[in-house]
Amino acid sequence: MNAPDTGYNFAYLDEQTKRMIRRAILKAVAVPGYQVPFAGREMPLPYGWGTGGIQVTAAVIGADDTLKVIDQGADDTTNAVSIRRFFQRTAGVATTTETEKATLIQTRHRIPEARLGEHQILVYQVPIPEPLRWMEARESETRKMHALAEYGVMHVRLYEDIAHMGRIVKSYDYPVRVNGRYIMAPSPIPKFDNPKMDRMPALQLFGAGREKRIYAVPPYTRVESLDFEDHPFEIQTWSEGCALCGATDSYLDEVVTDDRGGRMMVCSDTDHCDKRRAAGHSGPMAAPYGETPR
Amino acid sequence: MNLVATAAVLDDDPPLLSVRGLGKSYGGALGCRAVSFDLWPGEVLGIVGESGSGKSTLLNCLSGQVAADAGEILYRDRMGATADFLTLPEPKRRALLRGEWGLVHQNPRDGLRLRVSAGANIGERLMAQGARHYGDIRAEATGWLSRVEIDTARTDDLPIRFSGGMQQRLQIARTLVTGPRLVFMDEPTGGLDVSVQARLLDLIRGLVDELGAACVIVTHDLAVARLLAHRLMVMKGGEVVEAGLTDQVLDDPHHPYTQLLVSSVLQV
Ligand SMILES: Nc1ncnc2c1ncn2[C@@H]1O[C@H](COP(=O)(O)OP(=O)(O)O)[C@@H](O)[C@H]1O
Ligand SMILES: [Mg+2]
């Protein structure tokens, strides 16, 4: 099958490569949280741009899918725009910025605020898939540690945070245990998003391009963030709501508003913020909906 | 006469460790050969001999650091089941090394994580065994620092800033914190100042005694052996040439090589 306006195969990758990636994905789904090696392809984008996620997306996308791509929660960053365009061109699929309308969402740094459903697949771009790497450089050894569930060092890291800072300060890529077995790096999402991974109705797929690993969390799978009994896992909180939509339950980013040090806290998930404002919610800095460019 | 060793030997209990015909060669070169011995719970066995006699090779084979190429290492575990360490599947071997066994390296840097705090170094084995209460782990860690005479104000310091003697004491605490039944030590006081050695020896003796752990200690220093070991094995050229109760071996050596070793110590 050829895509509309290019000489490339549908979604760029050749069918044989897609089959190989799909086999890795099936294996990953069968063993939740386990990193499956795959023979990654060179993609027409540099590694930092999410080539792992793109290959996974290319392997699962179909002509009737609707694709959403986010980067730091926004659909309009350079990275998100180029990936979206890439699939528009090579697969001719419909794209959207609306979480609810997407069947396939490729993400870097965030999980959308809207609860995902069974009809959706979330594909994460992963820079460093190995949660044990900080402590153990040898791949042969980390493989063994996973195989034997030798995970004591993961708590050593959290112990160090508490010992030096009085609390667990790790706030991104916060390690989780999947289905009570494998420890997994959730990619650099804020720990705020960790609870959303737990028993999520959507299929979650993770692609690491440089390290050539795929892993997965099947729908409704248990995902627990590591912690101590007396220092339980906690998510980020803010003292005020979103300056634009007033949301008090979404992840906020600090935005510089002028060159005189003006700042405000706004939803990092732009679609979520827009939806709330369209529905009449507003925060202290909001002009009436439809009048402020975002 | 060493009363503890006598009591252990007379005991009807089966040995904790039975080594039979253990051998290892490096390519063509002999490391150790045909080593056999039994070790009872709570007993301290010293392995002595000059440099190059095969002491470290033997200890490394026993503790899984080096693959032996002949013999058996029969270990009776906490549940009373006996198995050959050399043919155990790797997961079980690693579980033993993390739990019921402990290893103190000659160079503490080989046995410590230098980039995490002293407290975390001690806590690691506890966490690996499922401890999940930070306060309890920390209390254990500071308790053990006191036991090995390290100021608890250093709990959050990196061991890379510790003196050699402190590093060695930290390594001992890190190894003993989970109460292993069998501990291997290779020249635990080697490389330390003489002034530091004596205190460390006392400490090791006290802790091993208190925990009731069986212990295999390699040393080239007969004074260390006399202080710590209930029984001795004397090695020469990779083989055991004499074995017996420490006082017997040192005061009434039978093998000419042992006589030489003992007399050279007396001359020092
Ligand atoms: N890794 C190795 N490769 C080759 N030969 C070794 C190795 N380790 C030890 N040997 C040799 O094995 C013999 C016993 O050495 P070792 O066990 O280190 O003795 P000790 O600890 O009593 O000094 C020596 O001849 C030594 O040179
Ligand atoms: Mg040696």
Side-chain angles (χ1 to χ4, degrees), chain A residues 134-136 141 144-145 148-153 155-156 158-160 162-164 177 227-231, chain B residues 90-91 94-95 98 113 115-117 119-120 124 127-128 131-138 141 155-156 158:
Chain A
W134 72 283
M135 193 54 114
E136 179 55 64
E141 190 61 18
K144 225 170 260 179
M145 291 162 83
L148 306 178
E150 289 180 1
Y151 289 135
V153 291
H155 275 86
V156 168
L158 303 182
Y159 172 100
E160 284 293 83
I162 303 171
H164 295 292
R177 183 185 292 269
D227 63 2
F228 288 104
E229 288 157 16
D230 49 343
H231 285 268
Chain B
E90 193 182 16
R94 287 172 71 114
R98 280 200 319 275
R113 290 197 189 278
R115 312 210 166 273
V116 303
S117 68
E124 181 176 345
M127 291 183 256
R132 291 291 177 265
H133 190 283
Y134 174 82
D136 291 351
I137 294 163
R138 192 169 175 83
T155 306
D156 299 329
L158 299 184

Side-chain angles (χ1 to χ4, degrees), chain A residues 63-74:
Chain A
D64 52 358
D65 266 313
T66 302
L67 178 71
K68 171 180 165 80
V69 181
I70 50 171
D71 177 16
Q72 305 277 9

Side-chain angles (χ1 to χ4, degrees), chain B residues 54-175:
Chain B
K55 306 183 297 296
S56 292
T57 299
L58 173 58
L59 197 84
N60 291 340
C61 288
L62 292 173
S63 58
Q65 310 288 304
V66 156
D69 37 42
E72 305 186 304
I73 302 173
L74 302 173
Y75 172 69
R76 187 167 50 84
D77 69 17
R78 227 185 268 282
M79 311 305 289
T82 299
D84 181 1
F85 179 71
L86 294 179
T87 57
L88 274 184
E90 193 182 16
K92 294 221 162 119
R93 270 212 308 270
R94 287 172 71 114
L96 266 189
L97 290 167
R98 280 200 319 275
E100 297 192 18
W101 292 13
L103 174 62
V104 176
H105 297 261
Q106 172 168 1
N107 184 345
R109 288 163 173 256
D110 295 335
L112 292 174
R113 290 197 189 278
L114 296 172
R115 312 210 166 273
V116 303
S117 68
N121 265 280
I122 299 178
E124 181 176 345
R125 267 170 83 110
L126 296 170
M127 291 183 256
Q129 296 194 352
R132 291 291 177 265
H133 190 283
Y134 174 82
D136 291 351
I137 294 163
R138 192 169 175 83
E140 274 285 319
T142 53
W144 270 94
L145 285 175
S146 312
R147 283 173 93 165
V148 298
E149 299 169 357
I150 295 175
D151 185 349
T152 54
R154 310 287 310 259
T155 306
D156 299 329
D157 290 355
L158 299 184
I160 202 153
R161 302 214 198 98
F162 288 7
S163 69
M166 279 171 75
Q167 287 183 349
Q168 192 56 293
R169 281 177 279 141
L170 179 62
Q171 190 194 188
I172 288 167
R174 167 182 161 88
T175 306

